[in-house]
Amino acid sequence: MKFPKDFVWGSATSSYQIEGAWNTDGRGPSIWDAFCQIPGKVFEGDTGDVACDHYHKMKEDVALMKQMGLTAYRFSISWSRIFPQGQGEINEKGIQFYSELIDELLANDIEPWVTLYHWDLPLALQLEMDGWLNKEITDVFVDYAQLCFERFGDRVKHWITFNEAWVVAILGYGQGVFAPGRISNTEPYLAGHHILIAHAKAVQLYRTKFQKEQEGKIGITNNCDWREPLTDAVEDQKAAQRALEFFLAWFADPIYFGKYPKCMEDRLGDRLPKFTEEERQMLLGSTDFFGLNHYTTMLASEAKQINAGSVYGNGGLSEDQDVNLALDPNWELTEMQWAVVPWGCRKLLHWISDRYDHPNIVITENGCAYDDQLENGEVNDAKRVEFFKGYLEECAKAIEEGVNLTGYFAWSFMDNFEWASGYSKRFGMHYVDFDTLERTPKASAKWFADFLKQ
Ligand code: GBH
């Protein structure tokens, strides 16, 4: 496997999934703190109250990163830790935590890649202004972003505004399986629209007030699973293309082309909001890199009849696309029941490269969940090692074929709170005992460390 010399190698986490300390040192609640309290929403009633207690074990965790030879670490900031009410009063102790984390990383030669929003909206903003449904939140987000640029931008050179707008919109406002738990077939498009505008405004602020002096880069991360046509039939090929546009082009086209994909406009009509000319201009080119989270692949076909309520589909919103999704029975499944299909990753990288004219792509998440067991102080997660090998091989091939892929972050650094699945799914390269909170490097962490040494 060949990778360029300056390729960025890292691992990723997010605030609510690892920090714990949910009400420590003045942190305000987020929509996930509230969502976890609703019986039935999270597997076995788990919460992020303690999670990996990274808030208190930060130095230990950075030492483990160093031990692995990571040169980059992607984490997210808990908005309500620094603005307990989402806006207004600043919590200096929250600022201090992230400031110390950044210093600790830099002291260990690890580049911080900071995500501003990984789903944990301050609860106050949900209650007071309906979260992402209200356009005014775009300015509140910009104030939060500004504080982060001011306080951390001297040391942070890579910013990601939003993690996976698709998940926020579809799972949070469409299917209601993630916070804030809304169920609707109009709200996802409105929430997604406001996230895009908030992103564009924050980038504009960074570029006009900070970028020159701080010399950092700013972008957005979107997620996309690959969609392979079920058959060679033209209608299935079109269905797969449509599925990718509803998934990824929804959020990438406005940034690269200044508009939503035509198939979304045609099918959604008035449910798809419109950008003003000013917003369009602000969105165009508003990213310095193409952040991509990629996990799996499905087969797509023209839906003559939608598999109502199928788990395989973009939820109740699949009707908007008329696409049926299925799995090839030969594919191996992870503990999330997501198929392991390394070549899907390469196809997706090419699809992005072709559609958006060879952008600089950074895989900001890729990984898998397995039911890892601690045996005699060791965790042999051989399947995860195979997964990384397979996906990285396809990444290397894509680079050889001309794709401008410049970085890769493994999800995740350690086992953590897997949202609605609670602690039942292990994604980490470090095993976490959630009773003692002790960390143990798995075989995959050692494999990754060896791989990075070559
Ligand atoms: C990421 O999202 C998140 O950023 C991260 O916080 C999370 O811990 C990690 O993934 C693991 O879940 O259910 O078969 O239809 C992942 C986005 C979108 C990827 C939905 C898989 C569903 C496949 N996911 N997709 S299926």
Side-chain angles (χ1 to χ4, degrees):
M1 277 190 242
K2 268 207 222 105
F3 285 91
K5 258 211 142 55
D6 52 358
F7 197 81
V8 179
W9 291 104
S11 181
T13 64
S14 90
S15 46
Y16 191 68
Q17 295 181 270
I18 65 164
E19 285 179 4
W22 79 278
N23 62 356
T24 304
D25 289 342
R27 180 183 178 276
S30 78
I31 54 174
W32 268 95
D33 292 290
F35 192 69
C36 290
Q37 296 305 319
I38 304 173
K41 293 294 185 191
V42 177
F43 186 69
E44 294 190 336
D46 286 343
T47 75
D49 288 4
V50 179
C52 307
D53 200 25
H54 171 72
Y55 189 77
H56 296 110
K57 289 175 168 283
M58 176 271 279
K59 291 201 171 172
E60 184 187 322
D61 290 335
V62 175
L64 287 169
M65 289 171 207
K66 176 77 181 170
Q67 196 175 307
M68 258 187 83
L70 294 183
T71 52
Y73 171 52
R74 172 177 176 239
F75 64 91
S76 79
I77 293 178
S78 154
W79 182 344
S80 64
R81 203 179 278 292
I82 67 178
F83 277 118
Q85 301 170 55
Q87 55 189 335
E89 210 169 307
I90 298 169
N91 178 31
E92 288 297 336
K93 285 203 167 147
I95 301 258
Q96 194 188 332
F97 169 72
Y98 294 108
S99 198
E100 286 175 8
L101 167 59
I102 291 162
D103 287 343
E104 188 70 16
L105 289 167
L106 292 174
N108 285 281
D109 301 313
I110 301 169
E111 277 290 321
W113 283 57
V114 180
T115 306
L116 292 173
Y117 189 81
H118 199 125
W119 312 349
D120 43 357
L121 186 77
L123 181 60
L125 299 181
Q126 189 69 45
L127 301 179
E128 290 163 11
M129 57 195 305
D130 289 340
W132 295 109
L133 297 180
N134 186 337
K135 197 167 189 176
E136 283 172 33
I137 200 176
T138 59
D139 293 319
V140 184
F141 176 77
V142 171
D143 290 345
Y144 158 60
Q146 172 159 359
L147 181 68
C148 293
F149 301 149
E150 281 169 0
R151 300 302 189 89
F152 311 128
D154 55 336
R155 291 155 290 158
V156 172
K157 303 303 161 197
H158 291 92
W159 294 100
I160 293 167
T161 53
F162 286 89
N163 179 69
E164 303 185 346
W166 182 92
V167 167
V168 178
I170 297 292
L171 303 187
Y173 288 85
Q175 301 180 15
V177 294
F178 279 10
R182 304 281 306 170
I183 298 173
S184 162
N185 76 347
T186 54
E187 290 180 2
Y189 302 111
L190 193 57
H193 192 72
H194 293 150
I195 288 174
L196 276 166
I197 293 170
H199 156 79
K201 285 185 177 180
V203 172
Q204 190 179 48
L205 172 78
Y206 185 69
R207 286 188 175 160
T208 53
K209 292 229 176 95
F210 298 93
Q211 199 163 34
K212 228 182 168 174
E213 190 191 323
Q214 300 185 346
E215 298 184 311
K217 289 192 163 35
I218 188 163
I220 187 167
T221 276
N222 285 303
N223 63 301
C224 194
D225 304 332
W226 176 245
R227 299 295 183 238
E228 180 73 9
L230 177 69
T231 72
D232 289 342
V234 174
E235 53 181 11
D236 287 349
Q237 289 180 21
K238 281 191 180 158
Q241 175 67 15
R242 206 158 61 234
L244 291 165
E245 291 182 14
F246 264 83
F247 208 148
L248 184 57
W250 176 7
F251 296 104
D253 277 18
I255 291 172
Y256 288 87
F257 308 142
K259 56 178 191 231
Y260 287 119
K262 181 152 188 318
C263 76
M264 291 187 76
E265 284 174 356
D266 289 350
R267 280 158 187 268
L268 296 170
D270 288 346
R271 285 191 290 145
L272 190 67
K274 293 189 173 43
F275 297 113
T276 65
E277 183 52 27
E278 196 195 346
E279 288 161 356
R280 214 178 69 78
Q281 290 302 334
M282 200 168 46
L283 273 157
L284 260 177
S286 63
T287 195
D288 296 328
F289 52 87
F290 195 110
L292 174 71
N293 291 355
H294 173 72
Y295 285 89
T296 189
T297 287
M298 281 191 187
L299 302 170
S301 55
E302 167 79 23
K304 297 183 181 80
Q305 190 195 340
I306 289 286
N307 303 335
S310 160
V311 289
Y312 303 136
N314 290 343
L317 296 152
S318 49
E319 288 84 345
D320 295 336
Q321 306 176 28
D322 295 314
V323 174
N324 271 335
L325 297 175
L327 291 173
D328 181 327
N330 296 316
W331 289 342
E332 198 191 312
L333 300 181
T334 68
E335 192 66 20
M336 294 297 277
Q337 307 305 311
W338 299 349
V340 181
V341 188
W343 54 259
C345 182
R346 180 159 58 107
K347 288 201 174 186
L348 177 60
L349 290 170
H350 276 293
W351 189 86
I352 293 167
S353 248
D354 293 346
R355 189 177 180 94
Y356 302 112
D357 197 14
H358 299 275
N360 160 11
I361 306 172
V362 178
I363 294 186
T364 42
E365 283 181 32
N366 173 238
C368 52
Y370 284 107
D371 180 20
D372 300 322
Q373 306 289 339
L374 185 64
E375 278 160 320
N376 306 321
E378 295 196 6
V379 181
N380 182 13
D381 58 340
K383 284 188 175 164
R384 180 169 293 99
V385 172
E386 280 313 301
F387 181 98
F388 284 143
K389 270 193 201 159
Y391 276 77
L392 285 172
E393 264 163 26
E394 296 295 321
C395 287
K397 272 191 223 162
I399 293 172
E400 225 177 82
E401 292 159 354
V403 170
N404 186 16
L405 177 68
T406 59
Y408 177 95
F409 289 77
W411 184 273
S412 178
F413 174 69
M414 60 185 153
D415 297 334
N416 58 48
F417 175 78
E418 180 48 32
W419 306 111
S421 306
Y423 298 96
S424 70
K425 302 286 187 277
R426 295 185 178 273
F427 267 97
M429 294 185 289
H430 289 80
Y431 182 90
V432 176
D433 179 323
F434 289 104
D435 294 322
T436 63
L437 296 171
E438 204 177 305
R439 284 92 159 113
T440 308
K442 301 182 190 176
S444 58
K446 293 172 192 162
W447 176 83
F448 216 90
D450 286 342
F451 175 78
L452 293 183
K453 271 185 216 140
Q454 295 166 19

